[in-house]
């Protein structure tokens, strides 16, 4: 049993509140235990320079934390005048992951801006961001589709993410909170599609390593957790999830 | 009557939710119509260099908006690598205002960091920030007082802020929303204490001016609104407001 | 009597030298006691992006101090790589104030750049900047008018600024020098037009407050001082002041 | 067969030149096909602030490319005034990987700075950097050990890295060059220890995904390649490799 | 004859006004034709980190231009957030030149900050800065000496600078104004001591070259001009120049 | 005799390896004693804004050092977020020098980017950069000429650079290494053309001065050294040097 009473392969309580803020085309508050992230999706009618003339769209993400999302107050990146390496890594990860399940040709030369703002952090902020951002993006692209700004619903599959890790005394666990994450020997973020394929796999041993057998167990835990996340996303998306399932079946 | 149905001297619906986030010493979500600001207060056990050795504390504020708090997405200041003039002006205003009602000697060489993060903007974000930050700061300083980290409750009076302005067709109005603010000829932010004194008065005619008579009316509207804000703050603060009132009476 | 021998409502000796430097379209050295500011106005044949296509002009200001304008040497903002909040606040104030007395449609898609460079500081640098910048701007716009680059003289009224404040032992005083400003309980900057209307009113109690009665007195002192400033501006502008008066009468 | 004539599981020609530059404590030029990276290791007699007083050492890495290491010239990060997200991600990866095979307590409060400067790029620069940096670091730590600045040789195992990926027409391949990398559906970087354990696993499908079976094949290819890299490292390190093997045996 | 009527080897009218501003320890306005530079010298009671513990002082310079010192308005370096290469080159030159005639051991661990702010530019701003800064520095160091903060007057010789160049139609000329400088084939800045030795010699052919014979003529012109500058400096310094001459004689 | 056994007027061993890297249009590794610089020339098909529409080309240079090119590791300029004054000075010098021997009209609206990256530093890096960059630029412009992208070979003369200086105990010496440079009283960089004319002359006495006689000797040493550098450049350039000589003869 883990310190917070969970089983090794048990997620924390998760909730996704849709239409959280009024201005964004898609807006979600995702709660994963004590981790809370506002995920907003905005549509911009142009693409970055390297995509111009391609006829294809683009999806890009930004990630930030409130200074007091954490136990100790952090200095704002705007005050420091630069974005940390950690933030950049997470932003690139979120954008890349979402692009794997969108048919960019269908959305034309538009950019979907994803903003993930962590208002309270207790571990797993990057995977919560991906799971929530997928819902916010689905809402925004659905509004494009419903207003006939795009012809075909462009999301090709579900997408969710979780973290797994190895704790010295317990072994492999699913969905680490901050205390667990800080003491884990191995930390792995897994992003998967509804079809059960990997989009991203980032396993790291900080001053430690992991074997092929341990990798096997980590992936099993992740697969179990991500399946549960898909159910929560479907509930949040309601009818929109049918359009995604339609696309999945069509591509089989 | 105003576009949203309010009387000229009527505030929007206002709500203050205390203990909004779990990490900060004081945390508040203030809602003023569609404007929503998370106000967090953090205690740091040291003061900035220019205050060291003074035996006195310091209060400083930071202000930011989520990129999609607004109708159009704004570029993050961390991405731009610099804080705009508008942000700096607001940060300086919030800090200065709060310092006017705190006995800095009582808190010793500690800094109270105020973070005002606007998650949804519809006008009046700086005055909502001040009104909410006062409550967050009170919670944080009260916890210092209750844990006997400081000997005397250091807040000397209530503090709240609102905006007033002049609309071409209506005249003087209280608590402008974004649409009103954009078309106002004169815009004035007023910060007042429970005793009815001014802490800050910032009146601006953008390509317009105002007379002494208009100033009179603007101040009346502000006074009425701020009195109502004090009631909402007292409700949110519960027993803590008695400690503030105690200090007010003592200083008479 | 004040430390420098002045009456409470007495300005320091003020002088405005026109055509101070040879390159700018308008150039002024304004001296207010020991405060000396070079105010230059430059005409650029385009407007910032947000104004393009509007057919209207723009007025923007920059403010800076020589490192040794002050008692202690300050680090250059160019060395720090960023502009302080104080500088941004002042720059925005100067630009906003000047725009209130110019008919931007008359100047077409041109920008008037105002540069206020403080070479010696002894309090009141922002109000001296506004008072001097008005004259520099008038010279520059007059040269546009005289060369028939614009059809109508575009300045609609006079504009000047001063500071007032409350000193513990003396009460309300006009035009504070640095020593007075440092010890003042309340500090207020007032920008007014020739017609006697307010353009900006910025009153601040740093760790103090002020009552409605005190506000009344502060405004009286400011009005008296600003009237005297108008006389000094008119003397400096010579015949150009007649064109401004013509516009004032026309708009009555 | 691949475009450059290699088998699917075949590395490019690899060479490690030790003592490449004269100033660094450890210096290596690693050549992987047409990719060339100078890896320098420098010893500094202090640790970053967050490690002070811990009695332990630290290893940190920086990565850069000459502007014309690539087919098209890139703007220098020093000219841009900021480091890109890609660079930060790579720097963090290199440092983290190296720390997994060093007993930081043995080196005391010293920092090993790793500088990987790509002078010619043809794919796989981050994995070449890790493989070369391990050798440079070994040389630097060996000189500390030989001069008795540290008591025990602190490297606990070998470490090398390679990339694997999935090409549309060929399937899983080892050690992708730039042309292959640009068209790969899946790209994975694998860092392993001499014992055959994983230190880092970063698999990414850019607008694509991969199955559990494909993951299996990717890891096999990576394991084969990394074994060959260990032989090349041992040849480059000569007798120093015996000290590493001694530590490996001791920890069994 | 030159466009402004001067002989080829004739300086422009030069004037040095001492004690120009009230705060700096040494303050000068130098006028060289239409070029005007405020040169201030400030004393700081510590040295930069690389000099600490040396017992010696340091002299460092900063250089800037008002945005409208020039025919066309320039963007402020503080707005750009960085200092240009040209500014850095000039700052380093001024500091290096002044250090050549000061006995840094005599001033102890103090820094002399030289600020050269060009308020009007018409060519030769860097040489005017050096010539004026020498006087400002002499005033500041003399006040240290007169208040017995240092025991020996530390300036060992006079120092002045001018520019020379080659104009296509006229040949070698002394003290180029902006129009001449823009069209010159060769441009040379020369800094010399009272003894007639070189401190700096920076000759540049922009898309042109110069022969040994031409170098000879350029140096002759410079020597003539600098001798005249010494007379103007001596007049400005009054009795202080006797202390410098005393040191020159002592070192013979 | 000098510390490294050289005569006073003797260069260090010098070698220029052409076609050092595969991507750049011109690429050279120049070795001057222990100083090693990679000089790359890249052709870009446009010119900076200030040259557009002129029909002429541009040549610009960037200079950098590996952090561990030096005895002590230096912080990367990309980490610092800004380029030092020294780097800017060198970059400007290299670009200016090369432009003196190229007929910019012949190359049309193209930019030649010169990148000088010092991988090992032992004094004289800026002069080695110029000498090597001339060869890299010649290779790049020759490839433009051979592919008929330009009609006339545009290099009008040879160009090389060396340093000379005055050592306390030895007097004037040629081609200073780092140890000599650090202790030299006078340091001079000389850039000359094949015709024997000066392009740049930068002599500096750091806390010292030099006489007209010493200048004479310094120039003699430089002329001798640069003649030898021309021979090494010609050998490296092979037949391309004949095209340069052809242009030299044509312009006589």
């Amino acid at each position: 049993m883990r310190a917070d009473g969970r089983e090794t392969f048990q997620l924390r309580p998760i909730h996704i509140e849709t239409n959280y803020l009024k201005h964004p085309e898609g807006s979600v508050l995702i709660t994963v235990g004590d981790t809370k992230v506002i995920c907003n999706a905005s549509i911009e009618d142009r693409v970055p320079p390297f995509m111009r003339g391609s006829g294809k769209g683009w999806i890009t993400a930004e990630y930030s934390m409130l200074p007091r999302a954490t136990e100790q107050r952090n200095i704002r990146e705007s005050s420091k005048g630069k974005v940390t390496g950690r933030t950049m890594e997470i932003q690139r990860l979120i954008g890349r992951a979402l692009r794997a399940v969108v048919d960019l040709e269908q959305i034309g030369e538009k950019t979907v801006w994803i903003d993930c703002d962590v208002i309270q952090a207790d571990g797993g902020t990057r995977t919560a961001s991906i799971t929530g951002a997928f819902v916010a993006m689905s809402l925004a692209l659905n509004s494009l589709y419903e207003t006939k700004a795009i012809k075909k619903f462009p999301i090709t599959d579900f997408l969710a993410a979780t973290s797994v890790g190895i704790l010295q005394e317990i072994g492999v666990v699913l969905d680490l909170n901050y205390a667990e994450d800080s003491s884990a020997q191995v930390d792995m973020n897994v992003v998967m599609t509804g079809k059960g394929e990997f989009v991203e796999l980032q396993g790291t041993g900080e001053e430690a390593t992991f074997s092929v057998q341990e990798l096997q167990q980590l992936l099993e835990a992740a697969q179990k957790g991500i399946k549960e996340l898909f159910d929560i996303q479907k509930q949040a998306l309601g009818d929109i999830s049918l359009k995604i399932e339609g696309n999945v079946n069509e591509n089989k």
Side-chain angles (χ1 to χ4, degrees), chain A residues 14 75 97 106 123-124 155 157:
Chain A
I14 290 167
I75 300 173
Q106 295 301 335
I155 301 181
D157 203 350

Side-chain angles (χ1 to χ4, degrees), chain A residues 84-135:
Chain A
T84 64
R86 178 184 175 276
T87 292
M88 287 206 187
E89 224 172 285
I90 295 175
Q91 298 187 153
R92 287 157 54 89
L93 169 64
I94 300 171
R96 218 160 50 214
L98 294 174
R99 288 193 298 270
V101 291
V102 178
D103 184 341
L104 296 172
E105 301 208 8
Q106 295 301 335
I107 60 176
E109 294 206 1
K110 292 182 179 62
T111 298
V112 185
W113 285 86
I114 302 295
D115 287 292
C116 297
D117 285 88
V118 180
I119 63 173
Q120 192 167 277
D122 187 29
T125 62
R126 79 185 72 186
T127 51
S129 292
I130 291 170
T131 304
F134 175 79
V135 177

Side-chain angles (χ1 to χ4, degrees), chain A residues 55 103-110 141-155 243 247 250:
Chain A
D103 184 341
L104 296 172
E105 301 208 8
Q106 295 301 335
I107 60 176
E109 294 206 1
K110 292 182 179 62
L141 289 175
N142 187 54
S143 82
L144 275 189
Y145 177 66
E146 289 300 326
T147 57
K148 303 196 193 291
I150 56 177
K151 286 188 191 157
K152 193 176 179 330
F153 188 74
I155 301 181
K243 296 178 193 169
N247 281 341
E250 192 179 295

Side-chain angles (χ1 to χ4, degrees), chain A residues 202-248:
Chain A
Q202 298 196 336
T204 294
E206 175 76 45
E207 298 169 36
T209 60
F210 55 104
S211 67
V212 174
Q213 291 72 27
E214 288 169 325
L215 172 60
Q216 212 61 40
Q217 290 180 291
L218 288 163
L219 295 180
E220 269 168 45
Q223 281 166 314
K224 176 185 176 293
I226 287 174
K227 261 189 206 148
E228 295 174 29
L229 291 171
F230 289 139
D231 290 338
I232 296 163
Q233 287 180 329
K234 283 174 193 173
Q235 217 169 338
L237 282 170
D239 284 358
I240 298 172
S241 69
L242 301 177
K243 296 178 193 169
I244 302 172
E245 277 165 15
N247 281 341
V248 171

Side-chain angles (χ1 to χ4, degrees), chain A residues 129-189:
Chain A
S129 292
I130 291 170
T131 304
F134 175 79
V135 177
M137 179 183 75
S138 299
L139 295 170
L141 289 175
N142 187 54
S143 82
L144 275 189
Y145 177 66
E146 289 300 326
T147 57
K148 303 196 193 291
I150 56 177
K151 286 188 191 157
K152 193 176 179 330
F153 188 74
I155 301 181
T156 58
D157 203 350
F158 288 91
L159 183 94
T162 195
S163 75
V164 287
I166 303 179
L167 298 178
Q168 179 116 37
E169 311 213 335
I170 299 183
V172 170
V173 294
L174 171 65
D175 186 21
L176 290 73
N177 64 24
Y178 181 70
E180 291 172 334
D181 192 60
S182 304
S183 66
Q185 294 175 304
V186 175
D187 175 38
M188 180 173 278
N189 294 300

